Amino acid sequence: MKFDDVLNQIGGFGKFQKTLYVWICLPQILLAFHMFVSIFTGAVPPHLCLSTWPPPANQEPGPSPSPSLSFSFNFSQAELSCSLGGASQTAGLSNSSAQVEDEGFKPAAAAEGECNGGWEYSKEVFHSTVATEWDLVCDNANLNNIGSSIYMFGLLVGAALFGALADKYGRRTIILVGLALQALFGVGAAFAPTFYIYVMLRFVVGTTISAVIMNAFVLGTEWTGPKHRMLAGIITDYFFGVGYILLAGIAYAIREWRHLQLAISAPGFLFIFYIWVLPKSARWLLANQKNEEAMDLIQKAAFVNGQPLGNDIELEQDQKSGKTLEKQRKHTVIDLVRTPKMRRQSLIVFYLWFVNVLVYYGLSLNISDFGTNIYLTQCIFGLVEMPARTITLFTLNRSRRISQLAFLAVGGLACLLTIFIPDDLPMARTALAMVGKFGITASLSIIYVYSAEVFPTVVRQSGIGMGSMCARAGGVIAPTIYLLKRHSQKAPMVVFGLCPLVGAVLTLLLPETANKALPDTIDEVEGGGQSAENDKATSSV
């Protein structure tokens, strides 16, 4: 009997699986905190060079700086004037601008691009940030961006490292290690004495994000029956979205960056009880010939679900030879591209991961017409994603392939259509961009589920790890796409439109996996004979 048949017999989504999903989903909230906290901890408030006040003797003094400085935020543009002669020596919040309303005040240091007297930062929005503590402004502003890039590189490294380790040591082990490291280094970042140590600690946190987020949804996928398997990706996305929204409230309440970093990291130590409640993957145990331990877990799941199994159950995996065992233990990421069909499917899935994250972050960085309050903007960004994740619940059971294709097409077409909107209709362009973001967000939710079902068990985690690496590469590249504006203002949206459309066409070459048994070996992917038998067995159940 195949493992999927056993799942159908004991309950593909019973009490055991529902409890498992609680344990899987709770860390997603903290993952969202870590992913987006730099929006607040790394923000650059309006600032003033102290050496430019009071004004020089040959300059007519204006009113005192306290009443005269009035900062007005505009999130739709960045207007840093650190090195512009005669310009205000103030800079905006994050990607906002700040203006000095006193036209008579013209800082002398601005022309030289230097500030020898230190910086004074507005505390209207933030009491302290990484930028204000280590003066990451003007000449040092690039360090803030480099730090963010290093964090994203940590996600890429974690995807490759922990993906391979999970196939070797199991999903549960890597989740526990990831949660422990995340809490430890996250708290450590709150006490970092220098910016460089802070960046190093954040890099490690980034690697653990990939470790937890990948293995959590794979563990859920491997314990869930075919008819409910999509929940592994979609429900965890919901909790990630909840964390996205909650972070706005937490950051609003905690304006000191060290306190905020500590507040989002310390709760991670509460997950220590996962050592006793988080189960291993029975499917992984069977693929690694740990049959006795797998059967004990299956019997436990059957008992919890109220569908006890007899002791005479024999799984197909039990009968595999020692030669097969030796082969299974030698599977590496090279096996993803070693055989023709596996290679084609792997490369397409990798591209889909890349393009989804590329466009997702590309649009998120550009859509800024929700208001000028950074906390409200963060909350709205989170809320916008909920409908996109919800609609996939109604489409995935019908078809994984058509769902992926359709939402990629919606996202791509909406982005392309923005280039035909006149400049005097900004609201229409923004509405289309939001439709594009809606489509890409839905598509991104689907690829988590779809890729887990395309890859066979023996290389599933390695495949997802490589896919996540491609996704992180897309996230790093997304901001640089806007450099194309030097050649054409419409170039970025053309890229964000065409790339998803190419992905939609390539999706036609992938197999349909809705309500079908997961492949366990590469031979099943290449030959298809086993899969056909599994489909019949699934249909009969």
Side-chain angles (χ1 to χ4, degrees):
M1 182 181 291
K2 295 288 292 183
F3 184 74
D4 279 315
D5 298 330
V6 174
L7 279 181
N8 287 327
Q9 188 170 338
I10 67 174
F13 197 66
K15 184 178 179 181
F16 178 86
Q17 286 88 350
K18 291 175 182 176
T19 303
L20 172 62
Y21 270 76
V22 172
W23 308 140
I24 288 174
C25 290
L26 288 178
Q28 303 298 321
I29 298 175
L30 295 190
L31 296 184
F33 289 171
H34 287 290
M35 281 296 297
F36 300 112
V37 72
S38 61
I39 294 175
F40 306 102
T41 59
V44 182
H47 48 280
L48 174 70
C49 180
L50 294 179
S51 63
T52 64
W53 194 270
N58 61 351
Q59 180 174 318
E60 183 179 348
S64 63
S66 297
S68 69
L69 287 180
S70 176
F71 299 103
S72 60
F73 304 133
N74 182 353
F75 281 79
S76 64
Q77 56 184 310
E79 192 173 303
L80 304 184
S81 52
C82 298
S83 59
L84 299 178
S88 164
Q89 189 68 16
T90 59
L93 168 65
S94 186
N95 60 333
S96 63
S97 64
Q99 302 172 347
V100 176
E101 294 183 348
D102 179 15
E103 295 294 339
F105 172 50
K106 298 182 181 298
E112 301 175 1
E114 298 178 356
C115 181
N116 299 321
W119 297 94
E120 180 71 22
Y121 298 93
S122 169
K123 295 187 178 181
E124 180 181 354
V125 179
F126 300 102
H127 295 167
S128 73
T129 69
V130 170
T132 65
E133 179 159 339
W134 290 304
D135 289 333
L136 305 181
V137 295
C138 296
D139 291 341
N140 293 326
N142 286 338
L143 291 177
N144 209 350
N145 296 330
I146 292 172
S148 297
S149 297
I150 291 174
Y151 170 78
M152 291 298 295
F153 184 68
L155 270 73
L156 191 153
V157 171
L161 175 63
F162 290 110
L165 289 177
D167 278 335
K168 184 175 182 180
Y169 296 107
R171 305 7 172 167
R172 175 183 180 272
T173 300
I174 300 304
I175 291 174
L176 294 176
V177 171
L179 289 173
L181 291 176
Q182 186 178 112
L184 184 63
F185 284 84
V187 168
F191 297 95
T194 68
F195 174 70
Y196 299 102
I197 292 178
Y198 168 78
V199 170
M200 181 191 71
L201 294 172
R202 284 275 294 166
F203 169 82
V204 178
V205 172
T207 65
T208 66
I209 296 292
S210 295
V212 177
I213 203 168
M214 289 190 310
N215 287 285
F217 102 88
V218 169
L219 181 61
T221 297
E222 294 185 336
W223 265 115
T224 305
K227 292 184 178 180
H228 300 90
R229 201 179 294 141
M230 67 176 183
L231 292 173
I234 305 305
I235 290 183
T236 53
D237 281 345
Y238 267 119
F239 277 77
F240 188 86
V242 169
Y244 197 131
I245 297 169
L246 288 178
L247 178 62
I250 296 173
Y252 181 81
I254 305 175
R255 306 298 181 95
E256 298 277 352
W257 82 265
R258 290 187 183 272
H259 296 166
L260 178 58
Q261 178 68 33
L262 187 62
I264 66 164
S265 302
F269 288 111
L270 298 176
F271 290 122
I272 190 173
F273 74 95
Y274 273 32
I275 295 174
W276 297 281
V277 302
L278 191 67
K280 295 181 180 180
S281 168
R283 190 186 293 270
W284 178 85
L285 291 171
L286 288 170
N288 287 271
Q289 296 297 303
K290 299 181 179 182
N291 301 324
E292 185 176 347
E293 188 176 358
M295 282 306 303
D296 288 341
L297 270 175
I298 292 171
Q299 292 287 359
K300 177 183 177 181
F303 176 79
V304 172
N305 288 346
Q307 302 285 343
L309 285 173
N311 294 325
D312 57 343
I313 294 293
E314 290 188 9
L315 292 169
E316 216 170 281
Q317 293 276 35
D318 292 347
Q319 301 172 1
K320 296 195 174 181
S321 64
K323 183 178 179 181
T324 303
L325 171 61
E326 182 179 356
K327 288 183 180 179
Q328 287 176 333
R329 289 179 176 174
K330 290 184 178 180
H331 281 302
T332 65
V333 293
I334 302 299
D335 291 296
L336 293 169
V337 294
R338 192 186 301 277
T339 54
K341 193 172 181 180
M342 190 76 252
R343 176 168 57 249
R344 183 184 67 196
Q345 294 181 185
S346 296
L347 293 178
I348 292 174
V349 169
F350 295 160
Y351 176 77
L352 294 182
W353 276 92
F354 171 82
V355 74
N356 272 285
V357 174
L358 173 75
V359 181
Y360 176 85
Y361 282 106
L363 293 178
S364 297
L365 292 173
N366 192 44
I367 300 174
S368 55
D369 293 331
F370 290 101
T372 58
N373 184 290
I374 191 172
Y375 303 103
L376 180 60
T377 303
Q378 170 77 3
C379 184
I380 292 175
F381 276 1
L383 289 173
V384 163
E385 299 195 355
M386 292 304 182
R389 303 191 189 283
T390 300
I391 196 172
T392 58
L393 293 173
F394 300 98
T395 65
L396 276 180
N397 266 337
R398 296 180 180 273
S399 173
R400 311 293 205 248
R401 182 170 58 185
I402 299 302
S403 296
Q404 186 78 73
L405 184 155
F407 287 116
L408 279 171
V410 168
L413 285 174
C415 291
L416 275 182
L417 288 175
T418 60
I419 69 176
F420 300 105
I421 304 298
D423 292 339
D424 58 349
L425 295 174
M427 292 302 296
R429 185 184 294 111
T430 299
L432 277 175
M434 289 305 300
V435 173
K437 186 173 186 291
F438 174 90
I440 288 299
T441 299
S443 176
L444 185 58
S445 295
I446 292 169
I447 192 60
Y448 274 94
V449 179
Y450 200 9
S451 59
E453 298 174 340
V454 169
F455 296 117
T457 302
V458 291
V459 290
R460 180 169 296 121
Q461 197 62 49
S462 294
I464 293 171
M466 289 299 297
S468 186
M469 280 185 62
C470 295
R472 301 312 170 194
V476 172
I477 293 173
T480 66
I481 296 297
Y482 284 95
L483 296 177
L484 295 175
K485 282 190 173 183
R486 297 175 181 177
H487 306 285
S488 171
Q489 288 293 318
K490 297 179 179 180
M493 296 308 291
V494 171
V495 173
F496 295 146
L498 291 179
C499 288
L501 291 178
V502 172
V505 174
L506 292 176
T507 302
L508 291 171
L509 301 177
L510 293 177
E512 179 57 72
T513 61
N515 300 318
K516 294 185 178 181
L518 292 177
D520 287 322
T521 66
I522 294 176
D523 288 339
E524 291 182 37
V525 174
E526 294 295 327
Q530 291 280 357
S531 298
E533 294 177 8
N534 294 342
D535 295 345
K536 293 178 181 178
T538 303
S539 299
S540 63
V541 174

